[in-house]
């Protein structure tokens, strides 16, 4: 058994540390699970944004690509840290508030972690559809049943012929303010899938990267062909991608106007799209595991960003161009379980082609879930190492995998999986988790200029153009406007407030760790890249500007929540 020594702060060291086993290509492959995220919410965004849907994806992707260069600069400053941009940005806020800094890490984690439960819920749906399909109302089996049962309707036939496992629920528990937990077949299959992914990642980042590479090639090449072939063979209907206006109401399928209600729907779509399009910033989660972090961070995130630009531009455009607004609102597209059939239809394939795409969709979901578990567990791990989160999370196994953080992710997502095991709960989890993601992006885009002011002499292997740091600061406030306006669009008036309450839970968590366990001190290595030691947090050269940015962000969020209202 490999020995693992820990210091006074519970940080794994010696043979229990992470292993530098990746180059930029390895980090790129680990992050290659982000493009399939477009399939998680392509139907939901079409329902909310109407004909504007594909343009929403493009706008959001451009924002995410620009923002990534702020994160690339910060990642290069912290070659010995894991966990991603939230960890690097938290160090900028630490001088100004010990409680704002861990908020960045916490919000990034609870935004990324639900990919596990959401992805497994969709994958479980595909498996159930493949093994225990629900017959269509016009299927031969239903027609025969109606003929044999005089006076009965097709709907009654569907109900009678639906396999029992599709309606079986062992237990349901209502949680006030959140929703209902369903312990059903989706939950059981989803939990089994999470355990399989855990087993793969238990072997360390090198094994994970190799598995991701294989999955990415199998999944992304056919997905790219599906996006390109309808364009090349003229299957795109011009009327489906022109005259861009929001709908009259969410999921109405009718063209509306650019009223305040219409703008609210588009901003809500941009809000939820960010959860997918910004996600490739996870490429810098593995800095501590890169052989040459100074060189490889920017290469990994830039390559991942370009890959995402290709897919997030192509797939929504092709889907909308072929299916049209009405087709995008079909239940199978909205809940994700009909995506494979749509992909097969776009290529004009029959049942065999559709079944191939069912398998590819399950693999695509595996790809996304692998990316999420790898990134979110490392955020927990580094948060523990730096004194933000509980000590027990700072453990790695003999392969350098943060197993305790991975088990924590697993347990948290079992709860979310029970909540997301029906369509309504799925979008509630997505809307609430994205509150955390937008807060993380706001704090960390501001952290870019704060590091420039407070730590000007810290080496930066790659330095973003100053104008881009400034532009990304503006985008930080655009994001917070999306948060205020958009969180309520997804059918849950309290989504913003539930998300803010969950974000605030970091306060007692950090207080226990920092003040009770660590006596108000940070681990010696926490700020060593900034040249700060022995409890010195450094001079506040930015003065009141960080506080002014926070205050302005809160004002914009509250104003947007008040001003933008859903179509009446």
């Amino acid at each position: 058994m490999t020995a693992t020594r820990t210091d006074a702060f519970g940080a794994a060291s010696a043979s229990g540390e992470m292993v530098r086993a990746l180059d930029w290509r390895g980090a790129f492959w680990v992050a290659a699970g982000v493009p399939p995220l477009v399939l998680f919410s392509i139907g939901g965004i079409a329902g909310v944004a109407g004909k504007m849907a594909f343009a929403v994806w493009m706008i959001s992707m451009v924002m995410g690509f620009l923002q990534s260069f702020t994160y690339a600069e910060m990642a290069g400053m912290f070659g010995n840290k894991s966990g991603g941009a939230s960890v690097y940005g938290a160090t900028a806020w630490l001088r100004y508030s010990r409680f704002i800094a861990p908020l960045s890490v916490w919000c990034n984690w609870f935004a990324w972690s639900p990919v596990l439960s959401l992805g497994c819920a969709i994958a479980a749906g595909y498996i159930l559809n493949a093994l225990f399909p629900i017959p269509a109302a016009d299927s031969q089996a239903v027609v025969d049943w109606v003929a044999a049962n005089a006076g009965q309707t097709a709907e009654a036939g569907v109900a009678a012929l639906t396999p029992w496992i599709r309606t079986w629920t062992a237990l349901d528990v209502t949680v006030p303010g959140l929703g209902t937990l369903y312990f059903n077949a989706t939950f059981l299959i989803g939990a089994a899938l999470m355990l399989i992914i855990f087993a793969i990642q238990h072997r360390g980042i090198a094994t994970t990267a190799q598995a991701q590479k294989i999955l990415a090639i199998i999944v992304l090449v056919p997905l790219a062909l599906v996006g390109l072939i309808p364009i090349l063979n003229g299957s795109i209907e011009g009327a489906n991608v022109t005259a861009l206006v929001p709908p009259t109401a969410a999921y109405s399928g009718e063209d509306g106007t650019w009223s305040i209600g219409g703008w609210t729907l588009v901003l809500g779509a941009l809000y939820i799209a960010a959860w997918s399009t910004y996600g490739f910033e996870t490429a810098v989660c593995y800095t501590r595991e890169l052989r040459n972090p100074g060189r490889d961070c920017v290469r990994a995130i830039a390559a991942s960003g370009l890959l995402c630009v290709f897919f997030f531009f192509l797939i929504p455009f092709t889907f909308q161009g072929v299916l049209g607004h009405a087709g995008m609102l079909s239940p199978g597209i909205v809940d994700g379980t009909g995506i494979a059939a749509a992909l097969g239809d776009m290529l004009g394939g029959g049942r065999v082609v559709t079944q191939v795409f069912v398998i590819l969709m399950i693999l695509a979901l595996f790809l996304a879930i692998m990316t999420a578990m790898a990134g979110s567990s490392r955020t927990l791990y580094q948060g523990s190492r730096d004194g933000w989160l509980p000590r027990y999370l700072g453990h790695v196994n003999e392969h350098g995998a943060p197993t305790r953080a991975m088990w924590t992710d697993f347990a948290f997502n079992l709860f979310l999986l029970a909540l997301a095991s029906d369509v309504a709960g799925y979008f509630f989890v997505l809307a609430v988790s994205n509150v955390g993601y937008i807060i993380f992006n706001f704090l960390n885009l501001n952290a870019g200029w704060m590091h420039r002011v407070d730590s000007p002499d810290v080496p930066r292997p790659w330095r973003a153009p100053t104008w881009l740091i400034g532009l990304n600061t503006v985008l930080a406030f655009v994001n917070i406007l999306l948060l205020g306006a958009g969180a309520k669009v997804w059918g849950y008036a309290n989504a913003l407030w539930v998300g803010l309450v969950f974000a605030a839970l970091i306060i007692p968590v950090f207080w226990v760790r920092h003040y009770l366990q660590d006596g108000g001190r940070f681990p010696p290595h926490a700020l060593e890249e900034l040249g700060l030691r022995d409890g010195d947090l450094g001079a506040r050269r930015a003065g009141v500007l960080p506080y002014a940015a926070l205050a302005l962000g809160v004002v914009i969020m509250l104003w947007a929540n008040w001003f933008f209202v859903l179509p009446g």
Side-chain angles (χ1 to χ4, degrees):
M1 184 175 68
T2 302
T4 300
R5 180 169 50 85
T6 58
D7 61 24
F9 292 89
S13 59
S15 58
E17 290 188 350
M18 286 186 164
V19 179
R20 291 197 181 275
L22 292 182
D23 60 9
W24 71 268
R25 297 174 189 85
F28 166 81
W29 288 119
V30 177
V34 174
L37 292 179
V38 68
L39 304 174
F40 277 49
S41 50
I42 191 170
I45 286 178
V48 167
K51 284 187 174 180
M52 276 293 296
F54 79 92
V56 162
W57 285 107
M58 292 179 178
I59 293 168
S60 184
M61 187 64 244
V62 170
M63 290 177 62
F65 189 68
L66 293 173
Q67 292 166 183
S68 70
F69 292 101
T70 293
Y71 302 150
E73 176 177 307
M74 289 195 297
M77 297 169 62
F78 298 93
N80 291 318
K81 289 189 186 297
S82 183
S86 64
V87 172
Y88 318 139
T91 60
W93 285 97
L94 183 58
R95 304 171 195 257
Y96 299 91
S97 172
R98 295 186 184 222
F99 287 95
I100 294 296
L103 181 65
S104 168
V105 178
W106 179 259
C107 285
N108 180 260
W109 169 70
F110 89 75
W112 257 106
S113 185
V115 176
L116 279 68
S117 52
L118 298 179
C120 285
I122 298 176
Y126 272 109
I127 293 171
L128 286 169
N129 284 342
L131 298 178
F132 308 100
I134 297 175
D138 59 352
S139 66
Q140 188 60 48
V142 172
V143 171
D144 292 344
W145 186 92
V146 171
N149 294 270
Q152 295 291 338
T153 63
E155 289 75 15
V158 170
L161 296 175
T162 295
W164 67 270
I165 197 170
R166 301 301 299 270
T167 56
W168 171 78
T169 299
L171 179 68
D172 59 81
V173 179
T174 300
V175 181
L178 287 180
T180 303
L181 307 180
Y182 292 97
F183 297 92
N184 52 19
T186 298
F187 174 83
L188 293 178
I189 295 172
L193 294 176
M194 281 197 286
L195 284 173
I196 292 171
I197 292 166
F198 184 99
I200 295 172
Q201 299 211 358
H202 188 272
R203 301 292 300 174
I205 193 64
T207 301
T208 299
Q210 186 61 32
Q212 286 288 89
K213 180 179 179 179
I214 295 169
L215 283 174
I217 293 171
I218 293 173
V219 168
L220 297 183
V221 171
L223 190 60
L225 291 175
V226 170
L228 290 171
I229 288 174
I231 296 175
L232 297 176
N233 67 16
S235 297
I236 303 296
E237 292 289 340
N240 293 339
V241 291
T242 54
L244 305 184
V245 291
T248 55
Y251 301 97
S252 69
E254 300 177 3
D255 290 346
T257 63
W258 287 103
S259 61
I260 291 178
W263 274 106
T264 302
L265 292 174
V266 171
L267 294 176
L270 283 166
Y271 164 76
I272 218 70
W275 185 80
S276 301
T277 56
Y278 298 1
F280 69 95
E281 47 83 15
T282 191
V284 295
C285 272
Y286 316 102
T287 308
R288 178 64 183 82
E289 294 158 287
L290 291 172
R291 298 190 190 101
N292 189 339
R295 179 195 66 191
D296 289 343
C297 279
V298 67
R299 292 184 180 184
I301 198 170
S304 299
L306 290 173
L307 180 72
C308 288
V309 166
F310 175 77
F311 279 100
F312 283 107
F313 273 50
L314 179 67
I315 299 303
F317 176 80
T318 301
F319 259 74
Q320 186 170 325
V322 173
L323 299 179
H325 192 194
M328 296 290 285
L329 297 182
S330 67
I333 302 297
V334 173
D335 67 17
T337 59
I339 298 289
L343 292 172
D345 290 343
M346 285 184 193
L347 293 184
R351 180 176 176 82
V352 173
V353 173
T354 297
Q355 291 305 312
V356 169
F357 274 108
V358 168
I359 296 171
L360 288 176
M361 273 298 300
I362 294 173
L363 293 178
L365 293 165
F366 261 68
L367 188 65
I369 296 162
M370 290 267 285
T371 294
M373 178 174 278
S376 62
S377 62
R378 281 157 178 79
T379 299
L380 290 177
Y381 163 80
Q382 193 64 50
S384 174
R385 292 269 297 172
D386 287 349
W388 313 116
L389 299 176
R391 285 184 182 178
Y392 82 94
L393 295 169
H395 167 82
V396 295
N397 68 4
E398 65 273 17
H399 304 292
T403 47
R404 291 180 184 172
M406 290 162 60
W407 279 119
T408 301
D409 259 345
F410 176 79
F412 176 60
N413 275 277
L414 280 181
F415 173 82
L416 294 184
L417 182 61
L419 189 61
S421 290
D422 73 328
V423 176
Y426 176 93
F427 279 106
F428 179 75
V429 171
L430 186 57
V432 170
S433 69
N434 203 42
V435 173
Y437 199 48
I438 298 299
I439 293 173
F440 146 74
N441 278 281
F442 173 77
L443 292 174
N444 283 271
L445 292 172
N446 278 289
W449 67 261
M450 291 167 63
H451 272 309
R452 285 280 186 97
V453 173
D454 287 327
S455 306
D457 300 323
V458 173
R460 289 167 168 80
W462 184 83
R463 190 179 183 92
T466 301
W467 67 266
L468 188 52
I469 294 291
L471 175 60
N472 287 338
T473 303
V474 174
L475 292 180
F477 293 96
V478 174
N479 278 303
I480 212 70
L481 183 142
L482 299 180
L483 173 60
K488 61 189 173 187
V489 168
W490 294 89
Y492 309 96
N494 63 341
L496 173 61
W497 314 115
V498 172
L500 293 176
V501 168
F502 199 91
L505 292 178
I506 186 57
I507 295 175
V509 171
F510 173 69
W511 188 85
V512 170
R513 169 66 198 267
H514 186 63
Y515 291 103
L516 290 187
Q517 293 186 333
D518 294 347
R521 298 177 299 122
F522 287 102
H525 59 266
L527 300 173
E528 62 184 2
E529 288 92 347
L530 300 180
L532 304 175
R533 294 179 176 84
D534 301 324
D536 177 23
L537 300 183
R540 299 179 180 179
R541 297 178 181 176
V544 300
L545 290 178
Y547 303 112
L550 284 175
L552 180 59
V554 171
V555 169
I556 290 174
M557 180 189 71
L558 295 176
W559 174 82
N561 186 259
W562 166 78
F563 181 79
F564 290 100
V565 294
L566 292 169

